[in-house]
Amino acid sequence: MCGIVGYTGPRQAYPVILKGLKRLEYRGYDSSGVALMNGGKLKVFKKKGKVAELEELLIGKDVEANIGIGHTRWATHGEPSDRNAHPHSSASGRLAIIHNGIIENYAQIKKELLNKGYTFTSDTDTEVLLNFIEDIQKNNNNGSLEEALRIALKRVSGAYCILLVDQNDPHTIIAARKGSPLVIGIGKGEHFLASDASPIIEYTKEVVYVNDYELAIVKPDELILKNIGNETITPYITKLDMELAAIEKGGYDHFMIKEIFEQPSTIYDCLRGRLDAAAGTITMSGVEENIEQLKNASRIMIIACGTSWHAGLVAEYIIEELCRIPVEVEYASEFRYRNPIVNKGDVIIAISQSGETADTLVALEKAKENGAFIFGIVNAVGSSIARISHAGAYTHAGPEIGVASTKAFTGQLTVLSMMALKIAKEKGSISNERYLGLLNELQDIPEKVESILKNAEDIRKIAEHYKDASDFLFLGRGYNFPVALEGALKLKEISYIHAEGYPAAEMKHGPIALVDETLPVVFIATKDLYHEKIVSNMQEIKARKGKIISIITEGDDVTPGLSDHYFEIPPADELIAPILTVIPLQLLSYYVGTAKGIDVDKPRNLAKSVTVE
Ligand code: M6R
């Protein structure tokens, strides 16, 4: 959470930082601020609310500067307010800091500083860290800021990516990272710093991903990278494989709907170069290079959060069915704090869109320490989870900016399906006929998604009808049970309507008590092994006057009669049907959210990338 941007070079820093903050706003939007330095004079501006409010505040102000840092906040310590907004200034006013992460032992440090007479203007852990650094520097015979920072960071626990500027060094930004991402863009006589590459891409494609426990001393024409032990490291420069258009709305009202409509091409991109149905092959180097370990695994653990966890649940069904390997799906946040049994050689699949989710990252580090083999399924190229994995496969969905995960989910399901098919084929646990049949089914998915999206207007009308409901129930069975969970999550986060997802048969064990004539119940009732069973569940809801919205297979002549509203999708093998059934649910949440006037790209209290636990 929180987005950070920095610039040092010949350009005006403020426009670069402002544009960068708008691109990073998906990471948090409780408040924003900038610290700009001109001729060694530091000016700090900050404001509660979205970046647009900061922009408004700065109209007509003197924002002249060639160096600056900016922050967009997702509040952890201290309510969203002007005074808790970053940047924070040190007691002397000489230093300014922005921070993404949490300093867990800040209370102890604050106590020490209070005893020394320090006072604080905010409730944040960040202001404590800054004064701690300044205090160390003062007690260190006013030694270098870099040295003081290093000493401070050895004392703090928690996660951080910080950028620091100092009036006494008017062209330098000092950065440090542990657990929160930092990318440095290398221009000609200028450097850009940001939480991800989106603020950088329009200026340079050459970037350095800073690793944990590294410090960067960044001047317009010099980048020095060191570890926390003060050893110099040669920066590893990589080329960004991203176009500017990928991070712009391209004529859509919101990123969320743009990303929903991108799915035919993102799924195609995910399959491209990997799946060749005519030749009957799947090429995935990460799987091929580790096939012995994967196919002989006595069990597979999947670790993820949120929507990625739902993809993991679908994968559990697919892998167990095709590969006959037991699968356990774990919430990363639970896994990291219990005492899980992980042995050397155990296979762990990590799923993450951002590749930066703190809980997932720490859970993987823990499993890795125990000798597990980590296979990462990640969307953000070069992200932390991608880098700590032993092997993996990118989902190739392109930057996902809307807070609600959509195209990343279908990308994850596509990768997981191919991976399971590949392992099953190598293991001999699938017949050739079924294998080839599923390859063909997967190949046809982009076209089927396209045909669903052509009827998006039908979902908009359904959304209009139910937008004032106070609760929703989502029910599915088998492969579509996790899709029910995903539909409920999507609706909650985008429309603020309470929703629950359940296995349809489980409804009788409690949730059916909720059903009355006001409750919309969304059934994922496609033609599969469970069809007759789910029809019975629909009857049970109908008998209790619940309102039924169903997602059904084209040509099904039973379910329309039981539904108040229904939406048809093309037929598909049940194993990969979730890639299709989730699309109308994504649209439903989008249209309900927008009908209620919610800023669906930035719903309240959320952030795209959850980099704090
Ligand atoms: O980046 P990740 O896939 O690791 O993120 C996991 C969750 O935070 C994420 O899926 C979240 O639940 C989304 N807001 C769901 O739309």
Side-chain angles (χ1 to χ4, degrees), residues 374-437:
I374 315 285
F375 190 96
I377 296 180
V378 175
N379 192 40
V381 176
S383 55
S384 302
I385 293 175
R387 285 184 291 141
I388 72 155
S389 299
H390 294 107
Y394 283 117
T395 41
H396 294 311
E400 190 180 68
I401 294 167
V403 162
S405 189
T406 53
K407 62 177 181 173
F409 180 70
T410 49
Q412 290 162 351
L413 295 184
T414 307
V415 167
L416 287 158
S417 307
M418 285 191 286
M419 186 176 172
L421 279 162
K422 177 100 193 153
I423 298 171
K425 181 75 177 144
E426 293 289 335
K427 194 176 173 189
S429 54
I430 187 171
S431 72
N432 199 39
E433 192 190 351
R434 178 108 175 96
Y435 172 77
L436 292 176

Side-chain angles (χ1 to χ4, degrees), residues 427-472:
K427 194 176 173 189
S429 54
I430 187 171
S431 72
N432 199 39
E433 192 190 351
R434 178 108 175 96
Y435 172 77
L436 292 176
L438 283 167
L439 256 51
N440 279 302
E441 289 264 354
L442 269 174
Q443 184 176 257
D444 292 345
I445 284 284
E447 207 177 308
K448 290 182 182 176
V449 173
E450 185 92 59
S451 79
I452 293 173
L453 291 170
K454 281 200 180 112
N455 298 323
E457 180 57 17
D458 296 347
I459 296 282
R460 199 194 59 72
K461 287 182 188 146
I462 297 175
E464 190 59 40
H465 197 87
Y466 292 101
K467 69 178 196 309
D468 296 320
S470 55
D471 301 275
F472 265 74

